[in-house]
Amino acid sequence: MDQFLATTAHKLRTNDYSELTIVLGNESCDLDSAVSAIVYAMFLSWQYEQIKCKVCTKTQRDEKGYKDNIFVPVLDVARSDYNLKTEVAYCLRENGASDENLLFRNDIDMKTLLASNKTKIILVDHHILSKRYNYLSPYVTEIIDHRPIDRKEWTYKDDTRSTIETVGSCATLVAQRIKDLSSLIKKDVDFFTAFPECTDLLHCAVVLDTVNFCKEVNKGTAHDKEIVLFLESIIKPDDNELLRKSKLDRLVAARSDVTHLTASELLKKDVKVVGDVLVPSFPVPVKEFLKKPGALLAVAEALVERDCTLALLLGMRLCPGLQRDAAVYAPNARRKAEKLAKHLQDCVSPSFQLVVEDSELKLDCLYFSQANLLLTRKQYMPVLAEFLQHYKD
């Protein structure tokens, strides 16, 4: 894996390629997104080598100046913020990926690449482009995502290939896509056996996203389970359940290791934007985030930095016992914050079951515990989009 990442990054920097395919993860850059981007780019590179015609291109390849196509995974986070993604950094390093060989959004000039080369974009773990990437839409050729499809924001060409299915982890769909494409060239499991680190990363992502198929969380689907069993048939652990539990414990510990992060850093760890709403998700309860020095000042600064009006803060703790909470904060738009809070409280499809609580910190935000523990940020996003569509001051 590290050799692939180093070689690909070098060829990109030196313009030593014919055509370029960028596999772009989403802006939260969680483990699922990072793994999906890296593994799918590695597979596409492997597939390219397997199926390119060895006979008819041999003469061309022997010619001076012949260049191959390259497939580049890009993590949609600034390089300086990578260590905030504690579980991502932990998992990739465990599988031999050096930080210096990874490519982050500020390592490349996407517009220059699009203007000067034959470039395609593949989106993984999202299908709605963030505002900074709106210009990428005409170049998108494939999408793999596990969110419910949002046709209102669908601006892609008619021939864009999409794999969109509501499952627990995008890594499930990436693994399935690799299986399907591999079978077409009669190399069903060759990629998974040739690159055991990719098999392990996909397995890690699905286990973490489904919380090892915990019934209380209820995120895992039959398709997720099918893929996990398939990956385990290749990994061949002595004890499947013990492997999953051990991985989950280590990944949750890595993700929750945020005591050293400031409030500003924690806001960057896992954040998305819907319209003018900043939606950070924390691996600790919101009420713990609010205890950090300067927490709401950090939120206010993040709102200005991301050109947002209000923030919806979402928190979670897995152990001991699942907890979820939320807070709405808008230092300069209190009325809009109150309307959003009421909209979320009144929502019945889905019902978040938000319960108003007076934070012992007495801070100027609207704070709630979330009684419906099954709902995550994924379910908040379309509700936020609906609110913004109909909001009137």
Side-chain angles (χ1 to χ4, degrees):
M1 173 184 288
D2 204 41
Q3 182 180 353
F4 161 79
L5 294 170
T7 301
T8 302
H10 175 73
K11 287 186 174 182
L12 182 65
R13 283 193 296 269
T14 58
N15 202 31
D16 182 20
Y17 60 91
S18 175
E19 294 185 9
L20 167 65
T21 298
I22 293 174
V23 185
L24 180 65
N26 74 39
E27 63 183 342
S28 70
C29 195
D30 59 6
L31 185 64
D32 192 27
S33 179
V35 165
S36 294
I38 293 170
V39 173
Y40 197 50
M42 283 190 66
F43 167 75
L44 292 174
S45 181
W46 175 85
Q47 177 188 241
Y48 173 77
E49 291 297 326
Q50 300 299 312
I51 67 177
K52 71 180 181 182
C53 180
K54 303 291 184 183
V55 178
C56 63
T57 62
K58 184 178 187 309
T59 304
Q60 292 177 324
R61 294 200 314 276
D62 289 342
E63 290 177 359
K64 186 178 180 180
Y66 174 83
K67 297 179 180 181
D68 274 319
N69 298 347
I70 61 170
F71 303 84
V72 178
V74 174
L75 305 187
D76 192 11
V77 65
R79 179 175 287 274
S80 60
D81 290 336
Y82 175 56
N83 280 333
L84 305 182
K85 313 296 182 178
T86 50
E87 75 280 13
V88 180
Y90 164 79
C91 199
L92 292 182
R93 289 166 187 162
E94 284 286 297
N95 280 279
S98 305
D99 297 3
E100 60 267 24
N101 292 330
L102 297 170
L103 283 174
F104 301 91
R105 68 170 173 237
N106 59 329
D107 290 334
I108 61 175
D109 185 336
M110 199 87 76
K111 288 184 177 179
T112 298
L113 290 173
L114 292 173
S116 59
N117 297 291
K118 296 178 181 177
T119 304
K120 300 175 183 176
I121 305 292
I122 294 176
L123 305 180
V124 292
D125 202 24
H126 66 304
H127 66 272
I128 303 303
L129 290 164
S130 60
K131 287 187 289 187
R132 71 161 64 90
Y133 288 136
N134 280 340
Y135 64 90
L136 292 181
S137 180
Y139 303 93
V140 173
T141 59
E142 183 175 4
I143 296 169
I144 304 176
D145 192 18
H146 64 129
R147 289 161 184 74
I149 193 165
D150 185 350
R151 286 290 179 188
K152 296 191 297 294
E153 300 291 335
W154 192 272
T155 58
Y156 309 109
K157 294 180 293 187
D158 291 342
D159 61 349
T160 300
R161 195 197 186 286
S162 64
T163 301
I164 298 180
E165 180 185 338
T166 306
V167 292
S169 175
C170 187
T172 291
L173 302 181
V174 170
Q176 184 66 59
R177 179 77 173 133
I178 291 172
K179 278 186 67 182
D180 293 344
L181 290 173
S182 296
S183 68
L184 293 177
I185 56 174
K186 302 189 183 307
K187 295 179 180 289
D188 294 17
V189 298
D190 290 24
F191 173 78
F192 298 101
T193 54
F195 298 100
E197 64 272 37
C198 289
T199 305
D200 183 72
L201 285 171
L202 291 168
H203 188 264
C204 284
V206 181
V207 167
L208 181 61
D209 269 7
T210 62
V211 196
N212 192 16
F213 302 95
C214 169
K215 291 182 180 178
E216 188 178 22
V217 177
N218 196 33
K219 285 183 66 179
T221 67
H223 198 175
D224 294 300
K225 192 65 173 283
E226 176 190 340
I227 289 298
V228 161
L229 291 173
F230 165 74
L231 296 171
E232 288 170 354
S233 74
I234 296 166
I235 297 170
K236 293 183 170 57
D238 293 333
D239 186 322
N240 291 8
E241 287 299 330
L242 185 61
L243 174 67
R244 291 182 210 167
K245 184 181 185 305
S246 172
K247 279 189 174 181
L248 181 64
D249 289 346
R250 286 183 283 117
L251 290 168
V252 168
R255 185 174 64 183
S256 303
D257 183 19
V258 296
T259 53
H260 62 291
L261 300 183
T262 66
S264 294
E265 290 171 333
L266 192 49
L267 281 164
K268 296 178 181 179
K269 180 172 169 58
D270 186 357
V271 61
K272 293 187 178 179
V273 174
V274 182
D276 67 339
V277 183
L278 189 76
V279 194
S281 180
F282 308 129
V284 294
V286 171
K287 59 186 175 184
E288 283 197 17
F289 166 77
L290 293 174
K291 292 177 183 177
K292 284 186 170 285
L296 287 186
L297 176 59
V299 177
E301 291 172 347
L303 290 174
V304 173
E305 182 182 339
R306 299 296 292 267
D307 194 25
C308 291
T309 304
L310 66 164
L312 171 62
L313 313 176
L314 300 176
M316 176 192 70
R317 167 166 282 142
L318 281 174
C319 301
L322 181 61
Q323 302 173 44
R324 293 191 188 277
D325 60 355
V328 178
Y329 179 60
N332 300 311
R334 178 75 183 192
R335 179 173 172 77
K336 189 172 185 177
E338 290 172 347
K339 284 193 173 184
L340 173 58
K342 187 174 189 312
H343 182 77
L344 295 173
Q345 285 179 279
D346 293 345
C347 186
V348 294
S349 182
S351 174
F352 299 101
Q353 299 175 28
L354 297 179
V355 180
V356 178
E357 289 193 10
D358 290 326
S359 169
E360 66 269 24
L361 300 175
K362 304 297 182 185
L363 294 171
D364 188 24
C365 65
L366 304 166
Y367 175 76
F368 310 90
S369 61
Q370 181 181 314
N372 188 342
L373 299 177
L374 300 180
L375 301 185
T376 66
R377 181 171 59 186
K378 192 185 301 181
Q379 285 76 41
Y380 275 95
M381 301 299 266
V383 177
L384 283 172
E386 179 191 22
F387 168 78
L388 294 173
Q389 187 177 0
H390 298 100
Y391 173 74
K392 293 181 180 179
D393 205 351

